[in-house]
Amino acid sequence: MAFDLNTIHLPPRILEAKRVLVVSPHPDDAQLGAGGTLARLISLGAEVWELTVTDDRYSIPGFVWQEGGPLTKRQQESINAQNYMGMKNAGFLGFQDKTTADVPTIGREICAVIRRIRPDLVLTVDPTNRHESHCDHIKVGNAVKFACLDCDCRFYPDFVDGKLRDDQYIVPAVGYFHTDAPNTLVDITDFKETKSRSIEFHHVNEPELMASLQYHEEYFGKKAGVRYAEAFRLQGYHQFHCFSLPLETVIC
């Protein structure tokens, strides 16, 4: 993929994305971590999909989930939030909360969805955040990181009818929210209410989490010179592998 060496140290422009896939470890992560930016992207005409990796189906005694069958409570909340925001549902992978599945297993499932949707930007949680302790966030973030590179590989995860794959895809950019190393700050001031209402569909009952989220938006807003902002670590395709330069911070 060609690029200008004079701009090699710059992250991709998040608001230029036209087809976005958000990979959420849990049903509420997209709205909590990137709801304002997603709303802003949708207002600009972007098509935004959400793939949810874990859910609550295994915490319901006797419940057996089937594709096309009844949804769990949290799955339905996710659909409701997506519909409110104008997002599209890319599916539920069906791993349980606190999944024991390993990163390669999760990554293969994510890779298949990336190849199907073919986004120009993939968003997820930052697995390298030194404060992060939730195993689902770390596993899913790493699974997305690997999948975004692996989906360009014609023999991954296997051949098709003994032949190289023909569905390989180059992901132009990946972005991480809930990050402690942001290089992109997005003004969400005009979309703060949309984000707040989308979170309400999830019935989040954690006052400390919501207060912290508010403080994050105000903190990064001050950094960006606006009222509210969300922070991301963005990488372009040529920055996925063997890249060590620091990336400059941009404000959108």
Side-chain angles (χ1 to χ4, degrees):
M1 180 176 291
F3 55 89
D4 181 356
L5 283 173
N6 293 317
T7 62
I8 192 174
H9 57 287
L10 294 176
R13 297 284 181 171
I14 189 171
L15 296 181
E16 294 179 2
K18 299 300 181 184
R19 192 172 178 86
V20 180
L21 173 64
V22 189
V23 182
S24 299
H26 308 105
D28 54 8
D29 282 322
Q31 285 74 40
L32 286 170
T37 300
L38 298 178
R40 186 171 172 185
L41 280 165
I42 291 168
S43 77
L44 294 172
E47 187 176 38
V48 179
W49 299 75
E50 181 180 6
L51 174 68
T52 308
V53 176
T54 74
D55 54 53
D56 57 331
R57 72 183 65 170
Y58 292 115
S59 67
I60 306 173
F63 183 87
V64 179
W65 185 85
Q66 294 180 337
E67 190 72 36
L71 299 176
T72 70
K73 178 178 181 292
R74 295 201 72 191
Q75 286 174 333
Q76 187 60 60
E77 289 176 353
S78 185
I79 294 290
N80 293 344
Q82 291 166 12
N83 289 341
Y84 169 73
M85 295 186 70
M87 299 170 67
K88 297 185 177 182
N89 182 35
F92 302 96
L93 290 187
F95 295 97
Q96 69 184 53
D97 192 9
K98 298 288 187 179
T99 180
T100 58
D102 58 22
V103 169
T105 299
I106 300 170
R108 284 192 293 271
E109 298 291 330
I110 294 171
C111 182
V113 177
I114 292 174
R115 284 171 166 162
R116 171 168 58 88
I117 293 179
R118 308 179 85 79
D120 53 15
L121 171 65
V122 177
L123 293 175
T124 192
V125 294
D126 191 344
T128 65
N129 183 341
R130 65 186 182 276
H131 307 292
E132 184 59 71
S133 300
H134 200 308
C135 58
D136 289 343
H137 280 223
I138 295 170
K139 284 184 177 181
V140 171
N142 278 321
V144 169
K145 179 171 65 174
F146 299 146
C148 283
L149 189 63
D150 291 342
C151 66
D152 183 35
C153 183
R154 296 191 65 190
F155 57 82
Y156 178 84
D158 48 41
F159 296 112
V160 177
D161 297 327
K163 300 178 182 179
L164 290 172
R165 310 181 68 93
D166 61 5
D167 63 347
Q168 72 273 17
Y169 178 67
I170 294 176
V171 176
V174 61
Y176 302 96
F177 50 91
H178 296 326
T179 181
D180 63 341
N183 57 33
T184 300
L185 303 179
V186 180
D187 180 5
I188 65 163
T189 303
D190 292 342
F191 301 92
K192 169 67 173 174
E193 183 176 355
T194 300
K195 175 178 181 175
S196 297
R197 290 191 175 185
S198 72
I199 293 172
E200 290 176 359
F201 285 96
H202 293 287
H203 300 95
V204 181
N205 296 315
E206 300 178 42
E208 290 184 356
L209 172 63
M210 299 309 299
S212 175
L213 181 67
Q214 173 83 11
Y215 186 84
H216 276 71
E217 294 165 351
E218 294 173 350
Y219 176 86
F220 289 115
K222 290 179 181 178
K223 294 278 187 181
V226 299
R227 187 172 182 185
Y228 301 112
E230 290 175 336
F232 299 86
R233 180 168 64 86
L234 270 289
Q235 293 175 273
Y237 180 80
H238 64 275
Q239 298 160 345
F240 286 4
H241 179 52
C242 298
F243 186 87
S244 304
L245 298 176
L247 297 181
E248 293 187 6
T249 299
V250 298
I251 298 173
C252 304

